[in-house]
Amino acid sequence: MNRADIHIESSKGATLYRETHTAPASWAEMTRKHLIIWAASLSSKLTVELASRIMAAMLYGIPEKLFICIPDNAADDLVKSVKFLFGKNLLSNWLIHSIWRGVFKYHGPKNGLANVTIYEFGLCEHCYDKFQLTKNHEYIDTLMAILYRPRRFWGIDDDIRVKLTTYGYVRRAKRFKNVSMGIKVAVLLNYEGCRNALHLKYKEVFTPGKKAKKGAEKQQKPEITPWSKIIEAGANDIFGTLADTKTSNLHEFLSRLNTRNKLQKELEANK
């Protein structure tokens, strides 16, 4: 954890406040509270500089009345100490464990989407991509409805949530429509961190885009193979039928497909 000694003196040199505050120094040290603060900062209409300073102060738990007394150079140091938040989002710990809607409690996935199936992940990817294109919040509602489900009380293995059904998540998406925007953005950020971590861990599964032609100003963004194609690629020779493949664990599927793709590349390189 980062530590900051906040020392504020009066004009006469008397100590008005002196306390040590802490804030996360890495993605692994983030908590639910930190995630919500981060989400609120990204959702604000303030300037990037001011929003970053307020976010850093809130992460450290510095009261607002004291934050305005902190010199600009000290505030800048606080922002720099949490600079990992301004890089690639790799938040793989799932921090919003559950969501209440009325008397109903809905449970989220495990860290790193460990108990998500490949089919569920494909649905989430569709919602994530559609939101990035349209900024329509209904896609966040649906993504949440896929990931957050009621508890089941029988047949529990590594997942306490009921099995996913189309009828179930469509109905839940309507219930999640009025969830606060802060929670919605927090869930979206949490999902984004998990997917980015998966991209790094299973590089051979994801097909990179081609480089831009010589003389072009920018390279094309990496393109991801459609998930329907990826699931089909794992059927028969890895997990059996397409129906069996869809219900396979996300990490197990990606690990085995990653190994197969890597071996295929090595064989092609040695020809």
Side-chain angles (χ1 to χ4, degrees):
M1 298 289 284
N2 289 314
R3 300 174 67 86
D5 185 17
I6 309 300
H7 185 197
I8 299 176
E9 296 181 344
S10 67
S11 58
K12 296 181 179 181
T15 297
L16 299 177
Y17 180 87
R18 185 159 197 161
E19 290 288 344
T20 298
H21 294 258
T22 60
S26 66
W27 296 109
E29 293 178 346
M30 291 277 284
T31 66
R32 183 182 188 277
K33 180 180 178 180
H34 296 145
L35 173 58
I36 292 176
I37 290 171
W38 181 38
S41 176
L42 293 180
S43 304
S44 69
K45 296 182 180 180
L46 301 173
T47 63
V48 174
E49 181 180 6
L50 182 57
S52 300
R53 291 188 176 191
I54 293 175
M55 176 190 69
M58 292 181 69
L59 288 175
Y60 275 97
I62 301 172
E64 183 179 353
K65 62 181 181 180
L66 297 178
F67 173 69
I68 60 177
C69 300
I70 299 175
D72 287 347
N73 60 338
D76 290 339
D77 288 339
L78 293 180
V79 174
K80 291 177 183 178
S81 70
V82 291
K83 62 181 180 180
F84 71 93
L85 287 171
F86 305 99
K88 191 176 185 66
N89 177 4
L90 295 175
L91 179 61
S92 60
N93 290 335
W94 198 264
L95 301 179
I96 309 295
H97 301 304
S98 60
I99 294 175
W100 284 91
R101 299 308 297 155
V103 297
F104 298 102
K105 184 177 183 180
Y106 301 96
H107 301 267
K110 291 183 177 180
N111 291 343
L113 307 178
N115 57 346
V116 168
T117 68
I118 187 64
Y119 175 67
E120 292 166 1
F121 183 67
L123 291 175
C124 289
E125 283 292 273
H126 174 76
C127 294
Y128 179 85
D129 290 338
K130 284 293 186 180
F131 174 75
Q132 298 303 323
L133 288 172
T134 66
K135 302 305 178 184
N136 186 338
H137 292 160
E138 289 183 0
Y139 288 110
I140 303 181
D141 299 340
T142 303
L143 185 147
M144 292 172 61
I146 294 167
L147 294 175
Y148 288 88
R149 308 200 289 270
R151 177 188 177 90
R152 58 178 170 177
F153 297 94
W154 58 88
I156 297 177
D157 39 31
D158 64 337
D159 195 345
I160 65 171
R161 302 170 302 166
V162 299
K163 290 185 177 181
L164 183 72
T165 64
T166 302
Y167 173 77
Y169 78 72
V170 169
R171 184 177 60 176
R172 283 194 299 279
K174 295 177 181 179
R175 291 181 178 175
F176 290 151
K177 184 176 182 179
N178 295 322
V179 170
S180 69
M181 186 53 60
I183 293 296
K184 287 185 180 184
V185 175
V187 171
L188 185 69
L189 289 171
N190 214 160
Y191 177 77
E192 181 182 71
C194 289
R195 76 188 293 272
N196 287 342
L198 289 171
H199 287 188
L200 290 176
K201 186 175 182 179
Y202 305 109
K203 293 180 180 179
E204 300 298 334
V205 174
F206 303 94
T207 305
K210 296 179 180 178
K211 292 184 178 181
K213 294 181 179 180
K214 189 175 181 180
E217 294 182 0
K218 295 182 179 180
Q219 291 185 351
Q220 297 176 0
K221 292 183 178 180
E223 296 179 357
I224 304 302
T225 303
W227 277 98
S228 59
K229 298 295 183 183
I230 293 178
I231 293 173
E232 289 174 6
N236 299 319
D237 59 338
I238 295 183
F239 286 97
T241 66
L242 183 59
D244 291 335
T245 302
K246 287 183 176 181
T247 60
S248 62
N249 177 268
L250 171 63
H251 284 267
E252 184 180 356
F253 177 93
L254 293 179
S255 178
R256 294 176 67 175
L257 188 57
N258 192 77
T259 299
R260 191 190 70 172
N261 290 355
K262 185 176 182 180
L263 289 174
Q264 287 180 341
K265 287 186 177 180
E266 291 175 352
L267 289 173
E268 292 173 1
N270 293 328
K271 285 184 178 179

